[in-house]
């Protein structure tokens, strides 16, 4: 498999972006300055990744989404490894990612690949999203920020 930079944002990209982040407004804002990568199998889009510089030393994963029919096949882990390599190649010292406090599967995965929780953004999802978000039958309110150091 190979991760490539997306040269055009399509409806298929948007379907994946909005799976990871249901706010079209927020996604549109970070797409303006982020780098969009994709994972394809022939013409089929399997997964997307958006990376955004947070500072000269810190790169942020703003969006990572895998098509539902390709979940649980290691694609997210593959993209996280790619993000770490990209950060290293572009001389970033830290890679960060934010996820919901109720996103148990994602929290497990990020920690499994070396991310550590470093902050909580209280009420992030209630303050920034119009409609309430529920995951794992819980109301999502807070964001957990995780970080890994890039050697």
């Amino acid at each position: 498999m190979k991760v490539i930079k997306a040269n055009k944002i399509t409806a298929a990209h948007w379907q994946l972006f909005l799976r990871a982040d249901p706010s079209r407004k927020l996604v549109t804002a970070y797409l303006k300055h982020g780098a969009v990568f994709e994972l394809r199998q022939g013409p089929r889009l399997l997964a997307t990744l958006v990376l955004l510089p947070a500072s000269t030393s810190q790169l942020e994963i703003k969006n990572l989404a895998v098509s539902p029919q390709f979940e649980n096949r290691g694609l997210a882990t593959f993209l996280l490894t790619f993000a770490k390599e990209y950060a290293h190649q572009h001389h970033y010292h830290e890679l960060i990612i934010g996820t919901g406090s109720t996103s148990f599967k994602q929290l497990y995965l990020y920690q499994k690949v070396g991310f550590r929780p470093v902050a909580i953004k209280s009420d992030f999802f209630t303050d920034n999203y119009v409609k309430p978000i529920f995951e794992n039958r819980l109301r999502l309110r807070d964001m957990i920020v995780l970080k890994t150091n890039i050697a």
Side-chain angles (χ1 to χ4, degrees):
M1 278 185 289
K2 187 175 180 184
V3 180
I4 59 170
K5 196 161 189 180
N7 56 16
K8 182 181 177 188
I9 304 300
T10 66
H13 288 91
W14 272 103
Q15 284 181 338
L16 289 178
F17 296 152
L18 295 172
R19 275 182 54 86
D21 184 342
S23 172
R24 184 174 284 273
K25 180 181 174 184
L26 290 176
V27 174
T28 299
Y30 58 70
L31 285 179
K32 289 179 184 176
H33 302 289
V36 178
F37 297 92
E38 60 186 30
L39 191 56
R40 290 189 172 273
Q41 184 177 59
R44 177 178 263 173
L45 182 63
L46 306 181
T48 55
L49 172 71
V50 180
L51 300 175
L52 180 71
S55 71
T56 57
S57 65
Q58 195 175 65
L59 184 65
E60 183 174 2
I61 298 171
K62 293 298 286 187
N63 193 300
L64 189 159
V66 176
S67 182
Q69 59 267 43
F70 294 99
E71 287 181 345
N72 302 312
R73 296 188 188 185
L75 300 183
T77 302
F78 188 79
L79 287 174
L80 290 166
T81 301
F82 169 83
K84 287 180 174 183
E85 291 169 1
Y86 181 93
H88 178 73
Q89 291 169 358
H90 290 85
H91 310 289
Y92 290 99
H93 302 291
E94 297 174 337
L95 182 61
I96 60 172
I97 190 165
T99 195
S101 60
T102 59
S103 304
F104 305 137
K105 185 176 176 182
Q106 292 88 336
L107 284 166
Y108 171 79
L109 172 63
Y110 302 152
Q111 291 176 85
K112 184 174 131 182
V113 300
F115 285 83
R116 303 276 315 270
V118 293
I120 297 173
K121 293 184 178 180
S122 296
D123 296 315
F124 178 86
F125 292 98
T126 52
D127 292 345
N128 291 288
Y129 292 79
V130 176
K131 292 182 180 178
I133 300 169
F134 289 87
E135 288 182 308
N136 298 306
R137 297 170 38 185
L138 296 169
R139 170 92 186 262
L140 176 57
R141 298 177 189 282
D142 307 321
M143 177 186 284
I144 307 288
V145 179
L146 300 98
K147 176 181 83 168
T148 189
N149 293 321
I150 304 299

